[in-house]
């Protein structure tokens, strides 16, 4: 298996089947399979991880309390189609879609995927992966930007996403997926004065 460097800091490996992809080493790197090509994403930074933790803690607590479904965080494959497996930062699967949860991966379309943007992956997340989410029919995508401290909420209409809202400042993140839940952006992006 040979490697070449792709754009935006991701390493691309020659085409593999999903079964071959599953045999890649468990070396702590985040691998994604996009139309048979393997993309290796750099490890997330501390700002990214802090936002991921804050969101996961808030959403998971609410989802479990209300018995709405299950929340998963990367690294976990979401196999959208045969030769496409991505690793969103956070995944929500409602009870209605629970059959897509397999022992080793999510086999199908989640209700929500969340991508936490970083300079090395933002272009890949916004262009390549967003198109894959649209093709697979993922109804909700959120982009969290830890540097700008903003949240973009996208909803699928037909085969394209429309911007439902852009949140910043003292606003709170809410969702019709989680009625009654809210997370103030001040808490989501609270880095305890480090950044």
């Amino acid at each position: 298996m040979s490697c070449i460097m792709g754009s935006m800091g991701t390493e691309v490996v020659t085409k593999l089947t999903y079964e071959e992809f599953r045999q890649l080493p468990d070396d702590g790197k985040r691998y994604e399979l996009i139309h048979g090509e393997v993309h290796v994403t750099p490890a997330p930074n501390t700002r990214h991880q802090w936002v991921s933790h804050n969101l996961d803690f808030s959403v998971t607590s609410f989802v479990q309390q209300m018995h709405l479904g299950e929340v998963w965080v990367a690294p976990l494959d979401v196999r959208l189609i045969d030769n496409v497996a991505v690793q969103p930062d956070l995944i929500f699967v409602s009870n209605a879609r629970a059959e897509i949860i397999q022992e080793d991966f999510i086999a199908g379309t989640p209700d929500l995927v969340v991508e936490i943007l970083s300079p090395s992956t933002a272009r890949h997340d916004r262009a390549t992966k967003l198109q894959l989410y649209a093709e697979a029919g993922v109804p909700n995508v959120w982009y969290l930007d830890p540097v700008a401290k903003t949240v973009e909420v996208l909803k699928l209409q037909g085969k394209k996403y429309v911007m439902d809202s852009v949140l910043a400042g003292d606003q709170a993140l809410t969702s019709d997926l989680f009625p009654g839940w809210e997370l103030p952006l001040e808490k989501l992006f609270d880095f305890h004065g480090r950044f």
Side-chain angles (χ1 to χ4, degrees):
M1 165 169 57
S2 62
C3 298
I4 58 173
M5 286 304 290
S7 63
M8 301 307 290
T10 59
E11 184 180 319
V12 181
V13 181
T14 54
K15 291 195 175 195
L16 299 176
T17 66
Y18 184 70
E19 290 69 31
E20 292 169 327
F21 172 75
R22 292 288 303 156
Q23 301 305 312
L24 291 173
D26 184 9
D27 57 8
K29 294 180 182 177
R30 288 176 62 173
Y31 294 97
E32 295 182 313
L33 184 69
I34 299 176
H35 299 301
E37 291 184 345
V38 176
H39 294 251
V40 183
T41 305
N45 63 26
T46 53
R47 187 185 297 243
H48 175 288
Q49 291 298 80
W50 195 256
V51 169
S52 178
H53 170 75
N54 288 347
L55 180 66
D56 176 36
F57 180 78
S58 179
V59 171
T60 299
S61 298
F62 187 85
V63 165
Q64 288 178 347
Q65 179 183 4
M66 304 305 290
H67 308 287
L68 299 175
E70 296 185 32
V71 178
W72 302 89
V73 294
L76 178 66
D77 289 343
V78 176
R79 186 177 182 187
L80 298 172
I81 58 176
D82 282 344
N83 62 353
V84 174
V86 293
Q87 292 195 9
D89 292 300
L90 184 134
I91 306 142
F92 169 66
V93 178
S94 67
N95 291 326
R97 297 180 193 229
E99 75 280 352
I100 70 172
I101 301 169
Q102 306 297 309
E103 183 176 351
D104 295 325
F105 56 92
I106 305 296
T109 304
D111 298 80
L112 166 69
V113 297
V114 178
E115 298 287 357
I116 301 172
L117 303 175
S118 67
S120 64
T121 63
R123 183 174 171 200
H124 176 67
D125 290 341
R126 288 185 180 278
T128 305
K129 288 173 75 173
L130 188 63
Q131 182 62 37
L132 297 172
Y133 295 145
E135 290 169 5
V138 177
N140 301 280
V141 175
W142 297 351
Y143 286 125
L144 281 57
D145 186 330
V147 176
K149 297 185 178 180
T150 59
V151 176
E152 298 171 33
V153 176
L154 288 77
K155 294 193 181 250
L156 190 64
Q157 289 189 358
K159 296 187 180 214
K160 297 208 178 238
Y161 286 100
V162 296
M163 188 74 66
D164 186 64
S165 58
V166 178
L167 306 172
D170 61 359
Q171 293 181 295
L173 178 57
T174 62
S175 175
D176 54 5
L177 292 169
F178 317 123
W181 171 81
E182 73 171 28
L183 176 58
L185 266 59
E186 292 172 345
K187 287 187 178 179
L188 175 63
F189 298 116
D190 180 5
F191 303 118
H192 294 269
R194 289 190 177 95
F195 315 112

